Amino acid sequence: MGGNMNRFSIGNKFELGKKNMTIVIIILLLCMAPFFLSDFRTNLLGKFVAFAILALGIDLIWGYTGILSLGHGVYFGLGAYCMAMYLKLEAGGGRLPDFMSWSGRETLPWFWKPFGAAPIAIFMALCLPALIALAIGYLTFKNRIRGVYFSILTQALSIIFVVLFVGQQELTGGTNGITNFKTIFNFSLADNRTKLWLYYISVALLLLAFIFCRFIINKRVGRVLIAIRDGENRARFSGYNPTTYKVFVYCISAVLAGLAGAIYVPQVGIISPAEMGIVPSIEMVIWVAIGGRGSLNGAIIGAILVNLMKSGISEKFPAVWSYFIGIAFVVVVIFMPTGLVGAFNKLKKKLFSLKVGKAGQLAQSNVPVE
């Protein structure tokens, strides 16, 4: 029996190693990428890495819990605005931001003042999305609003925030948003070394976000989330309160979106209400769908791959690049409903079963006939 237990333990470690091998390869490729890319391309890839962090959060609620959010751009935008407020104040040496002066304002709003400190800005970039997700999630999930109705509600949330941020020109920069950043933590954003450090910080945060999500999924709470996805009423009758678990995972997803927004802003140099709209939110879901929902590796691959394709196609075909993305999404949904990672796993299983079948036939053909 001891031998069986040892073989079982070794088998589990081997399976765990195979699952983690993909993320190891992804991180290694991302770490080596700056050696082969120009500064501009490296900075662009850093933006996609930030999107991958966001995709992990969406996969956590959609792929593993079955909650389709079409308004995650709101949480991404809130995290980005929190960091942008700090960067703007640092760029102006604490003086009134230029767009406020243009709007006729003479004093800094009270809620802007704490963002002059980087720790508070980073804390708020994570905390503010979580608080709004807590309020929205509790009110909706407690009243058992789910499915398409929840998706529509999140779209309405996106519209509300876009209108609010566009309308408050003197506080948020309006349609133009917040831009013209110069430094971060007193390091020049124009310096390529600073951009490189930001890139590697993005990769490190992606790895930490992946480990955190994997930790949740491998624990009991992860199994409950999957049970809610596959049959919420059955999970409720088993003694679990789906509301608590759904609010929890929704808040975690919002925190990851806020984190992605916070690391996105210093690399891109601008944040506007357009990033909080419905279209960007739907694009975020497309990343996960193409990569493979229900797979953390798939979410990362989908976010980076789709944006690489979007960047490349838009450079060569600026007028029709959106059609290519739409066609790719339709093809994946129809022919590969489990995404690229799911299709790859199915192909691998088929090849393995064919190999085993041939090996079995060969073994039978070599059996001596008495």
Side-chain angles (χ1 to χ4, degrees), residues 46-62:
K47 168 185 169 181
F48 302 158
V49 171
F51 287 156
I53 297 173
L54 170 62
L56 284 174
I58 293 178
D59 193 38
L60 202 60
I61 61 168
W62 185 35

Side-chain angles (χ1 to χ4, degrees), residues 112-349:
W112 266 76
K113 294 179 181 179
F115 288 91
I120 293 179
I122 295 172
F123 174 77
M124 291 302 296
L126 304 179
C127 186
L128 187 58
L131 289 175
I132 293 178
L134 176 64
I136 298 296
Y138 179 78
L139 293 174
T140 54
F141 299 140
K142 184 175 178 61
N143 290 291
R144 301 190 183 181
I145 297 174
R146 57 184 180 179
V148 66
Y149 301 104
F150 179 79
S151 300
I152 293 173
L153 188 146
T154 55
Q155 284 189 321
L157 179 70
S158 180
I159 294 173
I160 290 170
F161 270 85
V162 169
V163 172
L164 177 64
F165 275 64
V166 169
Q168 298 298 319
Q169 167 71 37
E170 64 176 24
L171 302 178
T172 63
T175 306
N176 297 325
I178 305 177
T179 186
N180 293 329
F181 312 128
K182 297 179 181 177
T183 60
I184 180 169
F185 311 132
N186 295 320
F187 292 99
S188 173
L189 287 171
D191 191 338
N192 289 328
R193 289 175 298 179
T194 304
K195 294 179 180 179
L196 186 62
W197 274 109
L198 286 172
Y199 171 80
Y200 279 116
I201 289 172
S202 299
V203 174
L205 290 175
L206 174 62
L207 179 59
L208 291 175
F210 176 87
I211 294 172
F212 179 65
C213 291
R214 178 67 71 189
F215 174 78
I216 292 175
I217 292 167
N218 288 339
K219 292 297 181 180
R220 179 183 176 184
V221 62
R223 293 191 288 272
V224 175
L225 294 176
I226 294 173
I228 292 172
R229 178 196 66 188
D230 296 339
E232 184 173 334
N233 290 332
R234 189 175 299 175
R236 183 178 288 107
F237 294 148
S238 299
Y240 296 100
N241 183 2
T243 299
T244 303
Y245 288 92
K246 290 166 78 173
V247 170
F248 166 75
V249 74
Y250 191 51
C251 289
I252 294 297
S253 181
V255 168
L256 290 175
L259 175 63
I263 196 63
Y264 167 89
V265 163
Q267 297 184 87
V268 177
I270 185 174
I271 181 63
S272 70
E275 302 293 337
M276 306 169 75
I278 293 176
V279 174
S281 297
I282 294 176
E283 283 187 10
M284 296 167 187
V285 173
I286 291 176
W287 305 338
V288 178
I290 291 178
R293 73 187 186 102
S295 167
L296 296 178
N297 293 325
I300 295 173
I301 292 171
I304 295 176
L305 189 63
V306 171
N307 281 285
L308 282 172
M309 184 174 68
K310 176 181 174 181
S311 177
I313 295 174
S314 62
E315 289 176 5
K316 296 181 179 179
F317 308 98
V320 296
W321 66 266
S322 57
Y323 294 104
F324 285 93
I325 303 298
I327 291 170
F329 178 64
V330 171
V331 168
V332 167
V333 169
I334 295 176
F335 299 103
M336 295 183 291
T338 54
L340 295 175
V341 171
F344 176 76
N345 289 334
K346 285 183 179 180
L347 178 62
K348 190 167 61 173
K349 287 180 181 178

